[in-house]
Amino acid sequence: MATPSSQSQGDSFRVLRTARVAPSWTDGAAPLPERAMPLTFLDAMFLSTPAVERVLLYRLGAADDVDAVLSRLADSLSRVLRDFYPLAGRLRLTPGEGNRYELLYRPGDGVAFTVAQHGGVDVDELARDDPREHAAIAPFVPVLPAGGAVLAVQATVLLLPIRRDLALGVTVHHAACDGSSSTHFLHTWAATCAGAAVLPQPPVINRTCIRDREDIYDLLASMAKDSQPHMLESTIVVVAVDKLLATFAVSGDTLQSIKDRIAAVAARRGVPTPRCTSIVATFAVIWHCHTRAAQGDVDVEADSTPSPNDGDRGLLVCLSDLRPRMDPRVPDKYLGNCVGPCFAWAARKEIAATGADDALFTASSAIALAIDGATRCEADYWDRCTEQGQEMRTLESPPVSVAGSPRFRVYDVDFGFGKPAKVEVVSIAKTGAVSVAESRRRGSGGIEVGVALPPEQMERFRRCFGDAMAWLSSSSPQ
């Protein structure tokens, strides 16, 4: 059912209508009955976190009829929701339980699909990498309807005279699914809309795949209720005050330079070389720049004999996909959360050392060790995670957290009118995380990083990143 609206944000942006798109059963398939899917402790980690907000920017061709594009998007969404029906449901407290939650799908449930238009900006302007205000892209992000909705979509037509472009906003409650699942949904929706002959494999909807930990569930549910006591009655609103968003590209050549320098430091110290993948190398240089930007304009000299107790400790937190590592193994297309945290600890002074290969060695060693701990997923992994999570809350400085993954292939999400010109994780302005994705520059082997910071800190980050790229392009490791 469509609801016309005249809501506007400024003179250029206007919401035209919002409709509820329900799973389609028009091809003779029997409608799905009511189903309740209990959340696992892996889902409960994200009960009170802000929703994940993505905006995918597309250039429409001259032959693309805007109304036809919008119709195809809505129709294909309806068809895809047959397989991804939990995303059309609602998050609620399990009846008769005080701290257990579930996703409930009932016949007639659907996803809010908003159509809007903007007459003051085009994709070229929105797809820039240089810093711009969060407020400039925030209108393209749909808000989750109150009452426990876990997915919302907004298609905004950009009405500049030269070209009609499209900003597709997708908001997902993290308690419903992780990044692997949400991008699996996006790829399936896009392939269906484009009329692909072969679609991605359907999701596996079976919460018994996860061996639950009731003790951890109790702790996480209690923490969520304390921080957001009304989280199911209304949308969790987090305001990104005075934040700038920017994208920084780390090329394939730069990643190789980082790996070479880390190997050289290991050889100089006579220690094993940490397992430095491209993602570890990226995290290391971003952690270095983020830490320097946070401390102001104070330069920190490299310490050739670093001490783990030198200065306050810094922390980088990323997530590891545990599907292939759980016992029993969880299917690759499992719909839900199946990620575990990786806690990388190091002295902030060492991470922030000026122009030093030692700083990257320290950062990459800590990150590789943390990822290895999650990869092995030993019996005490979750107990250690609980302890480190408690320790994290005692830090003087907030941790650097990471969202996204190059393996999500967000630049391959093609709805039939081309691949995106830019994909932005807008919610990092609210969570304080950095986002990572594969480079949209095809064949570069690089990774792009989204950063959201206040203006002064963003300027320091830009300078730190520029300095890092300059020393990494020099002829030899230090």
Side-chain angles (χ1 to χ4, degrees):
M1 180 180 206
T3 304
S5 174
S6 60
Q7 175 188 350
S8 64
Q9 301 179 31
D11 295 334
S12 298
F13 178 82
R14 187 160 64 100
V15 172
L16 303 178
R17 62 185 180 273
T18 297
R20 187 185 72 251
V21 177
S24 170
W25 314 104
T26 56
D27 58 359
L32 192 69
E34 179 177 310
R35 288 189 179 177
M37 292 137 286
L39 266 58
T40 72
F41 79 105
L42 297 174
D43 304 313
M45 279 196 292
F46 305 102
L47 274 169
S48 61
T49 59
V52 179
E53 302 167 343
R54 276 190 180 86
V55 174
L56 299 90
L57 301 170
Y58 292 93
R59 295 185 176 94
L60 300 183
D64 290 314
D65 179 86
V66 173
D67 290 335
V69 166
L70 295 174
S71 178
R72 290 204 309 272
L73 284 171
D75 178 67
S76 56
L77 175 60
S78 178
R79 285 183 280 144
V80 167
L81 286 174
R82 283 187 287 188
D83 287 333
F84 288 85
Y85 66 86
L87 299 182
R90 296 291 182 269
L91 185 63
R92 73 170 186 176
L93 192 65
T94 303
E97 300 283 351
N99 67 344
R100 289 294 184 267
Y101 297 85
E102 64 186 17
L103 274 173
L104 176 68
Y105 170 79
R106 285 175 170 155
D109 282 347
V111 172
F113 185 101
T114 298
V115 175
Q117 64 182 29
H118 197 301
V121 68
D122 64 3
V123 161
D124 291 337
E125 182 174 346
L126 291 173
R128 295 181 304 166
D129 285 348
D130 55 308
R132 66 268 189 223
E133 292 182 355
H134 169 261
I137 198 166
F140 306 108
V141 175
V143 176
L144 290 177
V150 296
L151 174 64
V153 175
Q154 179 177 309
T156 304
V157 180
L158 308 178
L159 296 175
L160 281 184
I162 298 176
R163 176 192 292 124
R164 285 191 170 187
D165 299 328
L166 186 71
L168 186 64
V170 180
T171 299
V172 181
H173 197 306
H174 208 324
C177 64
D178 57 22
S180 178
S181 288
S182 65
T183 50
H184 177 210
F185 161 75
L186 283 176
H187 283 286
T188 306
W189 180 19
T192 303
C193 184
V198 179
L199 298 178
Q201 295 178 16
V204 175
I205 303 172
N206 181 4
R207 296 304 168 97
T208 64
C209 291
I210 305 296
R211 184 176 296 167
D212 222 350
R213 283 285 302 265
E214 292 190 2
D215 55 337
I216 299 178
Y217 198 131
D218 289 340
L219 174 64
L220 294 170
S222 176
M223 291 169 54
K225 188 174 292 186
D226 289 344
S227 63
Q228 295 285 346
H230 305 292
M231 59 187 171
L232 301 185
E233 286 76 29
S234 60
T235 300
I236 299 174
V237 177
V238 179
V239 179
V241 179
D242 196 26
K243 288 284 186 74
L244 300 179
L245 288 167
T247 302
F248 297 85
V250 185
S251 70
D253 289 342
T254 299
L255 293 173
Q256 187 58 53
S257 176
I258 295 172
K259 296 173 187 179
D260 293 342
R261 289 165 183 273
I262 289 169
V265 173
R268 169 162 52 84
R269 295 186 181 183
V271 297
T273 301
R275 185 172 181 270
C276 188
T277 62
S278 291
I279 199 66
V280 169
T282 302
F283 289 177
V285 72
I286 294 303
W287 194 7
H288 167 78
C289 295
H290 208 285
T291 303
R292 287 182 56 77
Q295 72 185 10
D297 291 322
V298 178
D299 281 343
V300 180
E301 294 301 326
D303 186 348
S304 59
T305 57
S307 166
N309 298 316
D310 189 7
D312 65 318
R313 292 207 299 168
L315 173 63
L316 180 139
V317 182
C318 59
L319 295 174
S320 178
D321 188 350
L322 300 182
R323 287 168 175 80
R325 303 173 178 103
M326 298 286 277
D327 183 19
R329 181 188 173 105
V330 175
D332 291 343
K333 300 305 180 183
Y334 168 78
L335 179 61
N337 285 284
C338 193
V339 291
C342 309
F343 296 92
W345 299 89
R348 288 170 57 80
K349 180 179 178 180
E350 296 174 31
I351 297 298
T354 304
D357 295 347
D358 291 277
L360 292 183
F361 179 85
T362 298
S364 62
S365 297
I367 295 165
L369 181 64
I371 293 176
D372 180 64
T375 300
R376 287 185 283 111
C377 202
E378 294 175 339
D380 64 343
Y381 167 71
W382 287 108
D383 295 319
R384 287 187 284 111
C385 284
T386 301
E387 294 171 0
Q388 293 186 84
Q390 298 283 10
E391 187 176 355
M392 179 177 67
R393 282 179 277 281
T394 68
L395 289 176
E396 295 180 8
S397 304
V400 176
S401 57
V402 183
S405 169
R407 285 184 284 186
F408 294 164
R409 300 183 298 104
V410 291
Y411 284 104
D412 287 336
V413 178
D414 184 350
F415 286 86
F417 37 83
K419 296 181 178 181
K422 182 77 178 289
V423 180
E424 197 89 62
V425 181
V426 184
S427 50
I428 62 171
K430 301 176 182 179
T431 64
V434 298
S435 64
V436 293
E438 78 278 19
S439 174
R440 62 189 185 276
R441 295 167 179 86
R442 303 289 171 181
S444 70
I447 293 175
E448 62 181 45
V449 181
V451 177
L453 293 169
E456 289 187 5
Q457 193 171 341
M458 178 65 81
E459 182 54 34
R460 292 196 297 268
F461 186 96
R462 290 182 73 188
R463 292 204 309 269
C464 293
F465 187 81
D467 291 345
M469 295 303 102
W471 107 62
L472 287 167
S473 63
S474 63
S475 58
S476 62
Q478 298 178 5

